[in-house]
Amino acid sequence: MKITFLLHDAYTAGVAVRNTTSLATALAVRHDVEIVSLYRTADRMPFAVAEEVTVRAMVDLRPASPHDTVCTGPTPPSRLGEGRLAAHLRDTDADVVVATQPHLVCFLAEHGRAEHLRIGQEYRAHASHSAPLRRELEAAIARLDAYVSFSRAAARAHRAALPHAPVRLTSIPVCSPVPGAEPSTGNSKVVLAAGRLLPAEGYDRFLDAFAKVVTVHPDWSLRIHGRGGEQQRLRRRVGELGLHDHVLVMGTPAPMGPEWAKGAIAVVSGSGAELSGMSLVEAMSWGLPVVSTDCGNASRELITPGQNGLLVPDHGLFQDTLADALRHLIENEAQRRRMAGTARRTAERFRPELIAAQYEALFTDRASARAAAGNRSSRNAGASARWRRHVRLLVRRLGPAQLAPSPPTVACRVTTDGSLVFALPPRHLGPGAWSLTLRPRDPERAESVQLPVEGDTADGAPYLHVTLDMRICELAEGDWDVLLTRCDGRASRPVRAGLIETAHLLEPAHQLSSWREGIKTWIPYPTPNGTLALRAWHRPAHAEVVTCAVENEALRLTGQLLGWRARAHHYRFQARLRGAPERVFETSCQVDQDGHFTVDVPFSPVAGHHPGREAVWELLLHAYGGGPEIRLGMVTGDLVDHRHLRQFPAAGYAGPDGELLFRPRLTREHNLVLAAETAAAGRPHDRELRP
């Protein structure tokens, strides 16, 4: 059987793309499967798909593709794309075509041929669409062979809306692949949320609830992952609530899985518009108990309260109820871990091979119904299938000889002691000895490090592993690029970033090591062009800032001295004007026996030294008796760059020469500085400051 999936853009991260790639991979074990994307906007798909799955795009919108570029922003339907898709549907020999989004469902109903089964999928609630779209969609659904929702409640809603439509209206859940990395250990103090950042999802209510949580548990944090128009508004709301030390509004990582592994609790919007429950199932699969809004769709069907998560009624004092649910899980660790285990077992019902079997049963049922009605095509399917297999085999045989080899993909995992384990497939290695080379971006600070690739490339092992041992190796602070190099020096090339796992950087064991030894952290990350790189931090004595607040015309900083070299001294605080080191302001620094420090930086003396233009004050601790001088910074954790995520408070102050605006910010090296400028030169509080 040949199965075609239609996607709007298979190269952007989203629920439809994620579910389709997993389902297509599972179906490709027994069928000929292709993904047809209306647009292509990137070089690589955000989610892995089996090599047996053919992927094609109707319109290529990448900058390097000058012939098809029709727009530079979002990708609405275009005449060019629709014309090519209509031609593809006319010529395809697919047995089944599955449309994944409303406009594609309507397009399939209009242009799909009667010879193939036409299946629609609904990722959004029927009632969430505009009235004109609902009418158009209902007319299109009635012309299909089947329409699939992702919850039983949604299927019932469609049957109520279309009581007489001659179409099979059913429900099949989303896929949840087995995690390709280590699941959550539950040891962090992080609550995770992920989804589309749209007004209907109610993430602002999550912030209001979490503000109540941190008053009791200030050592816990919330991370919100997702894309959408609400991102900047949520960041402003974080500042309004004073949650800048506790909440990060992140982007959209792909894949999301390694990010779920960093959490101890998941909080999910059970929006009435979101049907799939993808975030719920994925969080459970990675071993997180889930607190979800109860909107009667997937959340109620997936969560058994008290067993694998908690449901919060979407009415009344929602923020209070959500805060109570989060506090309950935070304060009951044994129950939280027991629920995490049940959540993982729940997710096993949604493995791709099980979901694929349900789709196969649906296809068989619809094909039988059509055959019984006498509408089955008489084409020679057997000969066509043999011809397709022959062509695919020929392409695979010719491909490696005609195409340049693709860059090697290397995965990287941070171990419990902070070491790095690289995994690379041996098929990328030719004859001879090879090594992974770590090359510093600043060659004046360090030399390249060679890590031999050991193992037999012919023994059939899927991966070869290379370890960068934290106990043995030293890397200078800065960025390092990862390359694959032949030991004879004849070939060297960057490697593509594969799966990156950094969850252990958030666990107490790693933080305890920093408490003793100072900062020695290696964080792997993908560069903007997709290659693999490392960010190394190396500070034997460090002052890590934990909170930053404005109180009583002063900046209050609290933090932790890390490393025995830092903890061996007493300190006074200094603010030093960049470019004029003779201008120094000093004040006391309180340090307790555990190395926790508190500094109050009054604005008055800093304003008295203001040079009359934008100025930057470097913040540091100066040891009494000739000890070390330590810059204040924020470098712990798993994040390569905090600057665009941190929302520090700003404060106005009436100085001797007029109104001044003070803003803490991070430098490129993640040292904390205090920027001061005249209020007339100030911009809105969410302005991006120069690094």
Side-chain angles (χ1 to χ4, degrees):
M1 181 182 293
K2 182 174 182 179
I3 304 166
T4 296
F5 289 92
L6 304 182
L7 284 167
H8 181 76
D9 184 357
Y11 297 85
T12 58
V15 173
V17 178
R18 193 182 315 170
N19 188 56
T20 298
T21 52
S22 297
L23 180 57
T25 295
L27 288 169
V29 174
R30 290 182 294 275
H31 305 283
D32 188 359
V33 182
E34 71 171 354
I35 294 175
V36 174
S37 180
L38 188 58
Y39 296 107
R40 180 171 187 173
T41 55
D43 293 331
R44 299 173 60 195
M45 295 174 64
F47 308 107
V49 66
E51 294 181 356
E52 292 78 11
V53 177
T54 301
V55 181
R56 68 181 84 236
M58 298 293 98
V59 178
D60 194 337
L61 296 182
R62 290 175 293 172
S65 176
H67 300 296
D68 284 350
T69 301
V70 293
C71 64
T72 58
T75 54
S78 69
R79 183 174 299 177
L80 176 63
E82 291 184 347
R84 291 180 178 177
L85 183 57
H88 181 80
L89 291 177
R90 284 195 304 269
D91 298 336
T92 184
D93 57 352
D95 301 287
V96 182
V97 179
V98 182
T100 60
Q101 286 139 317
H103 67 283
L104 293 174
V105 169
C106 296
F107 197 88
L108 176 61
E110 179 69 22
H111 297 279
R113 300 200 321 272
E115 295 94 287
H116 49 237
L117 293 175
R118 293 172 292 177
I119 311 294
Q121 290 178 328
E122 178 63 282
Y123 287 84
R124 303 287 293 171
H126 192 65
S128 70
H129 300 306
S130 65
L133 178 56
R134 279 201 307 272
R135 289 192 295 270
E136 185 178 355
L137 194 56
E138 289 172 2
I141 292 172
R143 300 169 62 183
L144 301 179
D145 294 281
Y147 196 66
V148 179
S149 297
F150 297 102
S151 72
R152 295 186 296 273
R156 288 194 297 270
H158 279 102
R159 284 193 286 269
L162 299 165
H164 306 297
V167 58
R168 171 81 178 275
L169 301 172
T170 188
S171 64
I172 301 177
V174 292
C175 296
S176 176
V178 176
E182 291 181 306
S184 169
T185 63
N187 293 330
S188 73
K189 294 185 177 181
V190 178
V191 178
L192 284 176
R196 301 192 312 160
L197 303 186
L198 301 175
E201 304 301 327
Y203 284 99
D204 52 342
R205 300 189 299 170
F206 287 8
L207 296 178
D208 294 339
F210 202 72
K212 301 176 184 294
V213 172
V214 296
T215 60
V216 183
H217 300 285
D219 53 341
W220 280 71
S221 63
L222 169 66
R223 293 186 178 187
I224 299 176
H225 291 273
R227 60 186 175 91
E230 289 286 275
Q231 191 173 87
Q232 290 304 319
R233 192 180 74 83
L234 289 175
R235 286 177 175 164
R236 287 194 296 270
R237 184 58 177 159
V238 167
E240 293 168 1
L241 293 171
L243 293 174
H244 54 277
D245 294 321
H246 305 282
V247 178
L248 294 178
V249 180
M250 314 285 285
T252 307
M256 178 64 194
E259 299 303 313
W260 286 122
K262 298 175 183 179
I265 301 169
V267 58
V268 175
S269 171
S271 163
E274 175 57 59
L275 296 179
S276 69
M278 175 66 79
S279 294
L280 275 170
V281 176
E282 193 172 33
M284 288 182 179
S285 185
W286 285 84
L288 276 70
V290 180
V291 178
S292 174
T293 308
D294 181 9
C295 291
N297 282 324
S299 58
R300 189 174 297 176
E301 297 176 13
L302 292 170
I303 293 178
T304 303
Q307 298 298 315
N308 56 11
L310 299 173
L311 288 174
V312 178
D314 192 23
H315 55 76
L317 300 176
F318 173 82
Q319 287 89 335
D320 290 339
T321 309
L322 177 59
D324 289 343
L326 291 173
R327 283 198 296 262
H328 177 78
L329 290 181
I330 289 172
E331 294 164 4
N332 294 274
E333 182 178 357
Q335 183 183 15
R336 186 173 76 239
R337 291 183 180 277
R338 187 166 56 251
M339 292 169 66
T342 305
R344 291 187 65 183
R345 291 190 292 274
T346 300
E348 291 175 0
R349 305 201 311 260
F350 305 96
R351 296 298 180 233
E353 60 273 14
L354 301 179
I355 303 304
Q358 295 185 50
Y359 273 94
E360 289 174 326
L362 175 64
F363 300 157
T364 301
D365 173 78
R366 293 295 84 199
S368 299
R370 178 177 288 188
N375 293 328
R376 188 64 176 167
S377 170
S378 61
R379 59 198 169 119
N380 189 340
S384 177
R386 287 193 297 273
W387 180 82
R388 289 195 300 270
R389 285 195 296 270
H390 174 75
V391 172
R392 290 166 69 87
L393 180 61
L394 183 62
V395 169
R396 288 175 192 169
R397 287 176 176 172
L398 293 177
Q402 295 180 350
L403 301 176
S406 61
T409 298
V410 175
C412 188
R413 174 172 57 88
V414 180
T415 65
T416 53
D417 69 349
S419 300
L420 302 183
V421 177
F422 301 91
L424 64 156
R427 67 177 181 273
H428 288 294
L429 303 179
W434 292 80
S435 67
L436 277 183
T437 299
L438 309 182
R439 185 177 64 189
R441 301 262 178 88
D442 184 356
E444 295 183 359
R445 299 184 63 179
E447 296 182 352
S448 296
V449 175
Q450 304 285 336
L451 302 173
V453 178
E454 298 177 348
D456 187 356
T457 61
D459 64 1
Y463 293 101
L464 297 176
H465 294 90
V466 179
T467 299
L468 182 65
D469 196 323
M470 177 67 72
R471 299 166 299 178
I472 300 173
C473 299
E474 295 283 350
L475 294 181
E477 185 166 308
D479 291 282
W480 297 70
D481 292 309
V482 182
L483 303 93
L484 184 63
T485 306
R486 280 189 58 155
C487 293
D488 59 10
R490 289 190 297 168
S492 180
R493 49 182 172 155
V495 300
R496 180 182 295 159
L499 190 68
I500 295 176
E501 303 173 64
T502 57
H504 287 305
L505 294 175
L506 295 177
E507 295 192 350
H510 188 78
Q511 297 168 5
L512 181 61
S513 174
S514 297
W515 188 86
R516 295 191 306 264
E517 305 297 334
I519 298 298
K520 184 181 178 183
T521 301
W522 303 327
I523 309 176
Y525 67 94
T527 66
N529 63 4
T531 60
L532 181 62
L534 307 178
R535 177 56 162 147
W537 301 104
H538 190 197
R539 301 183 182 185
H542 175 63
E544 178 73 6
V545 176
V546 177
T547 68
C548 177
V550 174
E551 298 180 5
N552 301 322
E553 296 187 340
L555 181 69
R556 166 160 285 194
L557 304 174
T558 69
Q560 171 84 57
L561 292 176
L562 300 178
W564 62 267
R565 297 182 188 179
R567 291 165 51 79
H569 301 273
H570 297 284
Y571 296 90
R572 63 185 183 273
F573 171 82
Q574 286 189 350
R576 182 184 300 161
L577 184 62
R578 181 183 293 174
E582 70 280 0
R583 295 197 181 191
V584 177
F585 161 72
E586 292 189 352
T587 188
S588 62
C589 174
Q590 303 175 25
V591 183
D592 67 16
Q593 61 182 3
D594 295 320
H596 297 101
F597 65 82
T598 301
V599 176
D600 288 316
V601 187
F603 294 138
S604 175
V606 179
H609 288 83
H610 188 67
R613 59 185 186 278
E614 183 180 31
V616 174
W617 294 83
E618 298 174 340
L619 311 180
L620 50 100
L621 300 182
H622 190 82
Y624 291 102
E629 188 175 84
I630 306 175
R631 293 292 304 270
L632 274 66
M634 304 180 78
V635 301
T636 62
D638 63 313
L639 301 177
V640 172
D641 193 340
H642 298 212
R643 290 176 296 171
H644 68 292
L645 298 175
R646 299 288 180 182
Q647 302 293 305
F648 293 111
Y653 181 80
D657 298 322
E659 185 79 11
L660 292 177
L661 189 65
F662 290 99
R663 304 173 186 268
R665 62 181 174 87
L666 293 173
T667 67
R668 186 178 182 279
E669 293 77 24
H670 281 60
N671 296 320
L672 189 69
V673 297
L674 182 62
E677 59 186 89
T678 58
R683 304 281 179 87
H685 69 279
D686 58 344
R687 162 191 163 203
E688 292 289 339
L689 289 170
R690 294 189 297 271

